[in-house]
Amino acid sequence: MGGIGKILILSGIFLIFFGIFFLIFEKFSFKMLPLDIYIKKNNFHFFFPIGTSIVISIILTIILNILFFLFFRK
């Protein structure tokens, strides 16, 4: 049961962190980073967010490495 409690506390802290993050940075737009591809023609719109995917991947990798270090070290 101790593992479930840690997971619930951790997910609550995670949600609070992202809530604060979105409140602080809502003025900044991550819609179009330099590597994002956007093609607009007559009746055709294509958006492929390569740059946004890279940024999100880096942020999640850092967060998960910190969490694994804190909770699963021996």
Side-chain angles (χ1 to χ4, degrees):
M1 281 299 215
I4 294 174
K6 286 182 184 179
I7 291 172
L8 288 174
I9 290 171
L10 184 61
S11 56
I13 292 170
F14 190 70
L15 287 174
I16 290 171
F17 172 75
F18 274 111
I20 292 170
F21 178 78
F22 284 125
L23 286 175
I24 292 173
F25 293 108
E26 70 180 299
K27 293 182 182 179
F28 300 110
S29 176
F30 292 113
K31 292 179 185 174
M32 292 294 294
L33 291 177
L35 292 176
D36 291 346
I37 298 172
Y38 183 66
I39 299 171
K40 181 179 179 182
K41 297 214 175 178
N42 295 337
N43 290 331
F44 179 75
H45 297 280
F46 178 74
F47 181 66
F48 191 66
I50 297 172
T52 307
S53 299
I54 292 171
V55 170
I56 290 172
S57 175
I58 291 170
I59 291 171
L60 287 176
T61 300
I62 292 169
I63 290 171
L64 288 174
N65 279 324
I66 291 171
L67 293 177
F68 284 137
F69 176 75
L70 291 174
F71 288 105
F72 296 113
R73 61 182 169 180
K74 291 183 179 184

Coordinates of all heavy atoms in Angstrom, one line a residue:
M1 N 0.8 -1.2 0.0 CA 0.0 0.0 0.0 C 0.8 1.3 0.0 O 0.4 2.3 -0.4 CB -0.9 0.0 1.2 CG -2.1 -0.8 1.1 SD -3.1 -0.3 -0.3 CE -4.7 -0.6 0.3
G2 N 2.1 1.2 0.5 CA 2.9 2.4 0.5 C 3.3 2.9 -0.9 O 3.4 4.1 -1.1
G3 N 3.4 1.9 -1.8 CA 3.7 2.3 -3.2 C 2.6 3.1 -3.8 O 2.8 4.1 -4.6
I4 N 1.3 2.8 -3.6 CA 0.2 3.5 -4.1 C 0.1 4.9 -3.6 O -0.2 5.8 -4.3 CB -1.1 2.7 -3.9 CG1 -1.1 1.4 -4.6 CG2 -2.3 3.5 -4.3 CD1 -2.3 0.5 -4.3
G5 N 0.4 5.0 -2.3 CA 0.4 6.3 -1.6 C 1.4 7.3 -2.2 O 1.2 8.4 -2.5
K6 N 2.6 6.7 -2.5 CA 3.7 7.5 -3.1 C 3.3 8.0 -4.5 O 3.5 9.1 -4.9 CB 5.0 6.7 -3.2 CG 5.7 6.6 -1.8 CD 7.0 5.8 -2.0 CE 7.7 5.6 -0.7 NZ 8.9 4.8 -0.9
I7 N 2.7 7.0 -5.3 CA 2.3 7.4 -6.6 C 1.2 8.5 -6.6 O 1.2 9.4 -7.4 CB 1.8 6.1 -7.4 CG1 2.9 5.2 -7.6 CG2 1.1 6.5 -8.7 CD1 2.5 3.8 -8.2
L8 N 0.2 8.4 -5.7 CA -0.8 9.4 -5.6 C -0.2 10.8 -5.2 O -0.6 11.8 -5.8 CB -1.9 9.0 -4.7 CG -2.8 7.8 -5.1 CD1 -3.7 7.4 -4.0 CD2 -3.6 8.3 -6.4
I9 N 0.6 10.8 -4.3 CA 1.3 12.0 -3.8 C 2.1 12.6 -5.0 O 2.0 13.8 -5.3 CB 2.1 11.8 -2.6 CG1 1.2 11.5 -1.4 CG2 3.0 13.0 -2.3 CD1 2.0 11.1 -0.1
L10 N 2.9 11.8 -5.6 CA 3.7 12.2 -6.7 C 2.8 12.8 -7.9 O 3.2 13.8 -8.5 CB 4.6 11.1 -7.2 CG 5.6 11.4 -8.3 CD1 6.6 12.4 -7.8 CD2 6.3 10.1 -8.7
S11 N 1.8 12.1 -8.2 CA 0.9 12.6 -9.3 C 0.2 13.9 -8.9 O 0.0 14.8 -9.8 CB -0.1 11.5 -9.8 OG -0.9 11.1 -8.7
G12 N -0.1 14.1 -7.7 CA -0.7 15.3 -7.2 C 0.3 16.5 -7.3 O 0.0 17.6 -7.8
I13 N 1.6 16.2 -6.9 CA 2.6 17.2 -7.1 C 2.9 17.6 -8.5 O 3.1 18.7 -8.9 CB 3.9 16.8 -6.4 CG1 3.7 16.7 -4.9 CG2 5.1 17.6 -6.7 CD1 4.8 16.0 -4.1
F14 N 2.9 16.5 -9.4 CA 3.1 16.7 -10.8 C 2.0 17.6 -11.4 O 2.2 18.5 -12.2 CB 3.0 15.3 -11.4 CG 3.5 15.3 -12.9 CD1 4.8 15.5 -13.2 CD2 2.6 15.0 -13.9 CE1 5.2 15.4 -14.5 CE2 2.9 14.9 -15.2 CZ 4.3 15.2 -15.5
L15 N 0.7 17.4 -11.0 CA -0.4 18.2 -11.5 C -0.3 19.6 -11.0 O -0.6 20.6 -11.8 CB -1.7 17.6 -11.1 CG -2.1 16.3 -11.8 CD1 -3.4 15.7 -11.2 CD2 -2.4 16.6 -13.3
I16 N 0.1 19.8 -9.8 CA 0.2 21.2 -9.3 C 1.4 21.9 -10.0 O 1.2 23.0 -10.4 CB 0.5 21.1 -7.7 CG1 -0.7 20.7 -7.0 CG2 1.0 22.5 -7.2 CD1 -0.5 20.4 -5.5
F17 N 2.5 21.2 -10.3 CA 3.6 21.8 -11.0 C 3.2 22.2 -12.4 O 3.5 23.3 -12.8 CB 4.7 20.8 -11.1 CG 5.9 21.2 -12.0 CD1 6.7 22.2 -11.6 CD2 6.0 20.6 -13.2 CE1 7.8 22.6 -12.4 CE2 7.0 21.0 -14.1 CZ 7.9 22.0 -13.6
F18 N 2.5 21.4 -13.1 CA 2.0 21.7 -14.4 C 1.0 22.8 -14.4 O 0.9 23.6 -15.3 CB 1.6 20.5 -15.2 CG 2.7 19.8 -15.9 CD1 3.1 18.6 -15.5 CD2 3.4 20.4 -17.0 CE1 4.2 17.9 -16.1 CE2 4.4 19.8 -17.6 CZ 4.8 18.6 -17.2
G19 N 0.1 22.8 -13.4 CA -0.9 23.9 -13.3 C -0.2 25.3 -13.1 O -0.5 26.3 -13.8
I20 N 0.8 25.3 -12.3 CA 1.5 26.6 -12.0 C 2.3 26.9 -13.3 O 2.4 28.1 -13.7 CB 2.5 26.4 -10.8 CG1 1.7 26.3 -9.6 CG2 3.5 27.6 -10.8 CD1 2.5 25.9 -8.3
F21 N 2.9 25.9 -14.0 CA 3.6 26.2 -15.2 C 2.7 26.8 -16.3 O 3.1 27.8 -16.9 CB 4.2 24.8 -15.7 CG 5.0 25.0 -17.0 CD1 6.2 25.5 -17.1 CD2 4.4 24.6 -18.2 CE1 6.9 25.6 -18.3 CE2 5.0 24.7 -19.4 CZ 6.3 25.2 -19.4
F22 N 1.5 26.3 -16.4 CA 0.6 26.8 -17.4 C 0.1 28.2 -17.1 O -0.1 29.1 -17.9 CB -0.6 25.9 -17.7 CG -0.2 24.7 -18.5 CD1 -0.4 23.4 -18.1 CD2 0.4 24.9 -19.8 CE1 -0.1 22.3 -18.8 CE2 0.8 23.8 -20.5 CZ 0.5 22.5 -20.1
L23 N -0.1 28.5 -15.8 CA -0.5 29.8 -15.3 C 0.6 30.9 -15.6 O 0.3 32.0 -16.0 CB -0.9 29.8 -13.9 CG -2.2 29.1 -13.5 CD1 -2.4 29.1 -12.0 CD2 -3.3 29.9 -14.2
I24 N 1.8 30.5 -15.3 CA 2.9 31.4 -15.5 C 3.2 31.7 -17.0 O 3.4 32.8 -17.4 CB 4.2 30.9 -14.8 CG1 4.0 31.0 -13.3 CG2 5.4 31.8 -15.1 CD1 5.1 30.3 -12.4
F25 N 3.3 30.6 -17.8 CA 3.7 30.7 -19.2 C 2.6 30.7 -20.2 O 2.8 30.4 -21.3 CB 4.7 29.6 -19.5 CG 5.9 29.7 -18.7 CD1 6.2 28.8 -17.7 CD2 6.9 30.6 -19.0 CE1 7.4 28.9 -17.0 CE2 8.1 30.7 -18.4 CZ 8.3 29.9 -17.3
E26 N 1.3 31.1 -19.8 CA 0.2 31.1 -20.7 C 0.4 32.2 -21.8 O -0.2 32.1 -22.9 CB -1.1 31.3 -20.0 CG -1.4 32.6 -19.4 CD -2.7 32.7 -18.7 OE1 -3.7 32.5 -19.4 OE2 -2.7 32.9 -17.5
K27 N 1.2 33.2 -21.5 CA 1.4 34.3 -22.5 C 2.3 33.8 -23.6 O 2.3 34.3 -24.7 CB 2.0 35.5 -21.9 CG 1.0 36.2 -20.9 CD 1.5 37.4 -20.3 CE 0.5 38.0 -19.4 NZ 1.0 39.2 -18.7
F28 N 3.2 32.9 -23.3 CA 4.1 32.3 -24.3 C 3.4 31.3 -25.1 O 2.7 30.4 -24.6 CB 5.4 31.8 -23.7 CG 6.1 32.8 -22.9 CD1 6.2 32.7 -21.5 CD2 6.8 33.8 -23.5 CE1 6.9 33.6 -20.7 CE2 7.5 34.7 -22.7 CZ 7.5 34.6 -21.4
S29 N 3.6 31.3 -26.4 CA 2.9 30.3 -27.3 C 3.9 29.3 -27.8 O 5.0 29.7 -28.4 CB 2.3 31.1 -28.4 OG 1.7 30.1 -29.3
F30 N 3.6 28.0 -27.6 CA 4.5 27.0 -28.2 C 3.9 26.4 -29.4 O 4.1 25.3 -29.8 CB 4.6 25.9 -27.1 CG 5.4 26.3 -26.0 CD1 4.9 26.4 -24.7 CD2 6.8 26.5 -26.1 CE1 5.6 26.7 -23.6 CE2 7.5 26.9 -25.0 CZ 6.9 27.0 -23.8
K31 N 3.0 27.2 -30.1 CA 2.4 26.7 -31.3 C 3.3 26.5 -32.5 O 3.3 25.5 -33.2 CB 1.3 27.7 -31.7 CG 0.1 27.8 -30.8 CD -0.9 28.8 -31.2 CE -2.0 28.9 -30.2 NZ -2.9 30.0 -30.6
M32 N 4.2 27.4 -32.7 CA 5.1 27.3 -33.8 C 6.6 27.5 -33.4 O 7.0 28.7 -33.3 CB 4.8 28.4 -34.9 CG 3.4 28.1 -35.6 SD 3.4 26.7 -36.6 CE 4.6 27.1 -37.9
L33 N 7.3 26.5 -33.2 CA 8.7 26.5 -32.9 C 9.4 26.4 -34.3 O 8.8 26.1 -35.3 CB 9.1 25.4 -32.0 CG 8.6 25.4 -30.6 CD1 9.0 24.2 -29.8 CD2 9.1 26.7 -29.9
P34 N 10.7 26.8 -34.3 CA 11.4 26.8 -35.6 C 11.4 25.6 -36.4 O 11.4 25.6 -37.6 CB 12.8 27.2 -35.2 CG 12.7 27.9 -33.9 CD 11.5 27.3 -33.2
L35 N 11.3 24.4 -35.8 CA 11.3 23.2 -36.6 C 10.0 22.6 -36.9 O 9.8 21.6 -37.5 CB 12.1 22.1 -35.8 CG 13.6 22.3 -35.7 CD1 14.2 21.2 -34.9 CD2 14.3 22.3 -37.1
D36 N 8.9 23.3 -36.5 CA 7.5 22.9 -36.8 C 7.2 23.2 -38.3 O 7.6 24.2 -38.9 CB 6.5 23.6 -36.0 CG 6.6 23.2 -34.5 OD1 7.2 22.2 -34.2 OD2 6.0 23.9 -33.7
I37 N 6.6 22.2 -39.0 CA 6.3 22.3 -40.4 C 4.8 22.6 -40.5 O 3.9 22.0 -39.9 CB 6.6 21.0 -41.1 CG1 8.0 20.7 -41.0 CG2 6.1 21.0 -42.5 CD1 8.4 19.3 -41.5
Y38 N 4.5 23.7 -41.2 CA 3.1 24.1 -41.4 C 2.9 24.5 -42.9 O 3.6 25.4 -43.4 CB 2.8 25.3 -40.6 CG 1.3 25.8 -40.7 CD1 0.3 25.0 -40.3 CD2 1.0 27.0 -41.3 CE1 -1.0 25.4 -40.4 CE2 -0.3 27.4 -41.4 CZ -1.3 26.6 -41.0 OH -2.6 27.0 -41.1
I39 N 2.1 23.7 -43.6 CA 1.8 23.9 -45.0 C 0.3 24.3 -45.1 O -0.6 23.6 -44.6 CB 2.1 22.7 -45.8 CG1 3.6 22.3 -45.7 CG2 1.7 22.9 -47.3 CD1 3.9 21.0 -46.3
K40 N 0.1 25.4 -45.8 CA -1.3 25.9 -46.0 C -1.5 26.2 -47.5 O -0.8 27.0 -48.1 CB -1.6 27.1 -45.2 CG -3.0 27.7 -45.3 CD -3.1 28.9 -44.4 CE -4.5 29.4 -44.5 NZ -4.7 30.7 -43.7
K41 N -2.5 25.4 -48.1 CA -2.8 25.7 -49.5 C -4.3 26.0 -49.5 O -4.9 26.2 -48.4 CB -2.5 24.5 -50.3 CG -1.0 24.2 -50.3 CD -0.5 23.7 -51.6 CE 1.0 23.6 -51.5 NZ 1.6 23.1 -52.7
N42 N -5.0 25.9 -50.6 CA -6.4 26.3 -50.8 C -7.3 25.6 -49.7 O -7.8 26.3 -48.8 CB -6.9 25.9 -52.2 CG -6.1 26.7 -53.2 OD1 -5.6 27.8 -52.9 ND2 -6.1 26.2 -54.4
N43 N -7.5 24.4 -49.8 CA -8.4 23.7 -48.8 C -7.6 22.6 -48.0 O -8.2 21.7 -47.6 CB -9.6 23.0 -49.6 CG -10.5 24.0 -50.1 OD1 -10.7 25.1 -49.6 ND2 -11.2 23.6 -51.2
F44 N -6.3 22.9 -47.9 CA -5.5 21.9 -47.2 C -4.6 22.5 -46.2 O -3.9 23.5 -46.5 CB -4.6 21.2 -48.3 CG -3.7 20.2 -47.8 CD1 -4.1 18.9 -47.3 CD2 -2.3 20.5 -47.7 CE1 -3.2 18.0 -46.9 CE2 -1.4 19.5 -47.2 CZ -1.9 18.3 -46.8
H45 N -4.6 22.0 -45.0 CA -3.7 22.5 -43.9 C -3.0 21.2 -43.4 O -3.6 20.2 -43.1 CB -4.5 23.1 -42.8 CG -5.3 24.3 -43.2 ND1 -4.7 25.5 -43.3 CD2 -6.6 24.5 -43.5 CE1 -5.6 26.4 -43.6 NE2 -6.8 25.8 -43.8
F46 N -1.7 21.4 -43.2 CA -0.9 20.3 -42.7 C 0.1 20.9 -41.6 O 0.8 21.9 -41.9 CB 0.0 19.6 -43.8 CG 0.8 18.5 -43.3 CD1 0.3 17.3 -42.9 CD2 2.2 18.7 -43.2 CE1 1.1 16.3 -42.4 CE2 3.0 17.7 -42.7 CZ 2.5 16.5 -42.4
F47 N 0.1 20.3 -40.4 CA 0.9 20.8 -39.3 C 1.6 19.6 -38.7 O 1.0 18.6 -38.3 CB 0.1 21.5 -38.3 CG 0.9 22.0 -37.1 CD1 1.8 23.0 -37.3 CD2 0.7 21.5 -35.9 CE1 2.6 23.5 -36.3 CE2 1.5 22.0 -34.8 CZ 2.4 23.0 -35.0
F48 N 3.0 19.6 -38.7 CA 3.8 18.6 -38.2 C 4.7 19.2 -37.2 O 5.7 19.8 -37.5 CB 4.5 17.8 -39.3 CG 5.2 16.6 -38.8 CD1 4.4 15.5 -38.4 CD2 6.5 16.4 -38.8 CE1 5.0 14.3 -38.0 CE2 7.1 15.3 -38.4 CZ 6.4 14.2 -38.0
P49 N 4.5 19.0 -35.9 CA 5.2 19.7 -34.8 C 6.5 19.0 -34.4 O 6.6 18.4 -33.3 CB 4.2 19.8 -33.7 CG 3.4 18.6 -33.8 CD 3.3 18.4 -35.3
I50 N 7.5 19.0 -35.2 CA 8.8 18.3 -34.9 C 9.5 19.0 -33.7 O 9.9 18.4 -32.8 CB 9.7 18.3 -36.1 CG1 9.1 17.4 -37.2 CG2 11.1 17.7 -35.7 CD1 9.8 17.5 -38.5
G51 N 9.6 20.4 -33.8 CA 10.3 21.1 -32.7 C 9.6 21.0 -31.4 O 10.2 20.8 -30.4
T52 N 8.2 21.1 -31.4 CA 7.5 20.9 -30.2 C 7.6 19.5 -29.6 O 7.8 19.4 -28.4 CB 6.0 21.2 -30.4 OG1 5.9 22.5 -31.1 CG2 5.2 21.2 -29.2
S53 N 7.7 18.5 -30.4 CA 7.9 17.2 -30.0 C 9.2 17.0 -29.3 O 9.4 16.3 -28.3 CB 7.7 16.2 -31.1 OG 6.4 16.3 -31.7
I54 N 10.2 17.6 -29.9 CA 11.6 17.5 -29.3 C 11.7 18.2 -28.0 O 12.2 17.6 -27.0 CB 12.6 18.1 -30.3 CG1 12.7 17.2 -31.5 CG2 14.0 18.2 -29.6 CD1 13.6 17.8 -32.6
V55 N 11.1 19.3 -27.8 CA 11.1 20.1 -26.6 C 10.3 19.3 -25.5 O 10.8 19.1 -24.3 CB 10.5 21.5 -26.7 CG1 10.2 22.1 -25.4 CG2 11.4 22.3 -27.6
I56 N 9.2 18.8 -25.8 CA 8.4 18.0 -24.8 C 9.1 16.7 -24.4 O 9.2 16.3 -23.3 CB 7.0 17.7 -25.4 CG1 6.1 18.9 -25.5 CG2 6.3 16.6 -24.6 CD1 4.8 18.7 -26.2
S57 N 9.8 16.1 -25.4 CA 10.6 14.9 -25.1 C 11.7 15.1 -24.2 O 12.0 14.4 -23.2 CB 11.1 14.3 -26.4 OG 11.9 13.2 -26.1
I58 N 12.4 16.2 -24.4 CA 13.5 16.6 -23.5 C 13.0 16.9 -22.1 O 13.6 16.4 -21.1 CB 14.3 17.8 -24.1 CG1 15.0 17.4 -25.3 CG2 15.3 18.4 -23.0 CD1 15.6 18.5 -26.1
I59 N 11.9 17.7 -22.0 CA 11.4 18.0 -20.6 C 10.9 16.7 -19.9 O 11.3 16.6 -18.7 CB 10.3 19.0 -20.8 CG1 10.8 20.4 -21.2 CG2 9.5 19.2 -19.5 CD1 9.8 21.4 -21.6
L60 N 10.2 15.9 -20.6 CA 9.7 14.6 -19.9 C 10.9 13.7 -19.5 O 10.8 13.0 -18.5 CB 8.7 13.9 -20.8 CG 7.4 14.6 -20.9 CD1 6.5 13.8 -21.9 CD2 6.7 14.6 -19.6
T61 N 11.9 13.7 -20.4 CA 13.1 12.8 -20.0 C 13.8 13.3 -18.8 O 14.1 12.5 -17.9 CB 14.1 12.8 -21.2 OG1 13.5 12.3 -22.4 CG2 15.3 12.0 -20.9
I62 N 13.9 14.6 -18.6 CA 14.6 15.2 -17.4 C 13.7 14.9 -16.2 O 14.2 14.4 -15.2 CB 14.8 16.7 -17.6 CG1 15.9 16.9 -18.7 CG2 15.2 17.3 -16.3 CD1 16.0 18.4 -19.1
I63 N 12.4 15.1 -16.3 CA 11.5 14.9 -15.2 C 11.5 13.4 -14.8 O 11.6 13.1 -13.6 CB 10.1 15.4 -15.5 CG1 10.0 16.9 -15.6 CG2 9.1 14.9 -14.5 CD1 8.8 17.5 -16.1
L64 N 11.4 12.5 -15.7 CA 11.3 11.1 -15.4 C 12.7 10.6 -14.8 O 12.7 9.7 -13.9 CB 10.9 10.3 -16.6 CG 9.5 10.4 -17.0 CD1 9.2 9.7 -18.3 CD2 8.6 9.9 -15.9
N65 N 13.8 11.1 -15.3 CA 15.1 10.7 -14.8 C 15.2 11.1 -13.3 O 15.7 10.4 -12.5 CB 16.2 11.3 -15.6 CG 16.5 10.4 -16.8 OD1 16.4 9.2 -16.8 ND2 16.9 11.1 -17.9
I66 N 14.7 12.3 -13.0 CA 14.8 12.8 -11.6 C 13.9 11.9 -10.7 O 14.3 11.5 -9.6 CB 14.3 14.3 -11.5 CG1 15.4 15.2 -12.2 CG2 14.1 14.7 -10.1 CD1 15.0 16.6 -12.4
L67 N 12.7 11.6 -11.2 CA 11.8 10.8 -10.4 C 12.3 9.4 -10.2 O 12.2 8.8 -9.1 CB 10.4 10.7 -11.1 CG 9.6 12.0 -11.2 CD1 8.3 11.8 -11.9 CD2 9.4 12.5 -9.8
F68 N 12.9 8.8 -11.3 CA 13.5 7.4 -11.1 C 14.6 7.5 -10.1 O 14.9 6.5 -9.4 CB 13.9 6.8 -12.4 CG 12.7 6.4 -13.2 CD1 12.7 6.6 -14.6 CD2 11.7 5.6 -12.7 CE1 11.6 6.2 -15.4 CE2 10.7 5.1 -13.4 CZ 10.6 5.4 -14.8
F69 N 15.4 8.5 -10.2 CA 16.5 8.7 -9.3 C 16.1 8.8 -7.8 O 16.6 8.2 -6.9 CB 17.4 9.9 -9.6 CG 18.5 10.1 -8.7 CD1 19.7 9.3 -8.7 CD2 18.5 11.1 -7.7 CE1 20.7 9.5 -7.8 CE2 19.5 11.3 -6.8 CZ 20.6 10.5 -6.9
L70 N 15.0 9.5 -7.6 CA 14.5 9.7 -6.2 C 13.8 8.5 -5.7 O 13.9 8.2 -4.5 CB 13.5 10.9 -6.2 CG 14.1 12.3 -6.4 CD1 13.1 13.3 -6.5 CD2 15.2 12.6 -5.3
F71 N 13.0 7.8 -6.5 CA 12.2 6.7 -5.9 C 12.8 5.3 -6.1 O 12.3 4.4 -5.5 CB 10.8 6.8 -6.5 CG 10.0 7.9 -6.0 CD1 9.8 9.1 -6.8 CD2 9.5 7.9 -4.7 CE1 9.1 10.1 -6.3 CE2 8.8 9.0 -4.2 CZ 8.6 10.1 -5.0
F72 N 13.7 5.1 -7.1 CA 14.1 3.7 -7.4 C 15.6 3.5 -7.2 O 16.2 2.6 -7.7 CB 13.7 3.3 -8.8 CG 12.2 3.3 -9.0 CD1 11.6 4.2 -9.8 CD2 11.5 2.4 -8.4 CE1 10.3 4.2 -10.0 CE2 10.1 2.3 -8.6 CZ 9.5 3.3 -9.4
R73 N 16.3 4.4 -6.4 CA 17.7 4.2 -6.2 C 17.9 3.2 -5.1 O 17.0 3.0 -4.2 CB 18.4 5.5 -5.8 CG 17.8 6.1 -4.6 CD 18.5 7.4 -4.3 NE 17.8 8.1 -3.2 CZ 18.1 9.2 -2.7 NH1 19.1 9.9 -3.1 NH2 17.4 9.8 -1.7
K74 N 19.0 2.5 -5.1 CA 19.2 1.4 -4.2 C 20.3 1.8 -3.2 O 21.2 2.5 -3.5 CB 19.6 0.1 -4.9 CG 18.4 -0.4 -5.6 CD 18.7 -1.7 -6.3 CE 17.5 -2.3 -7.0 NZ 17.7 -3.6 -7.5

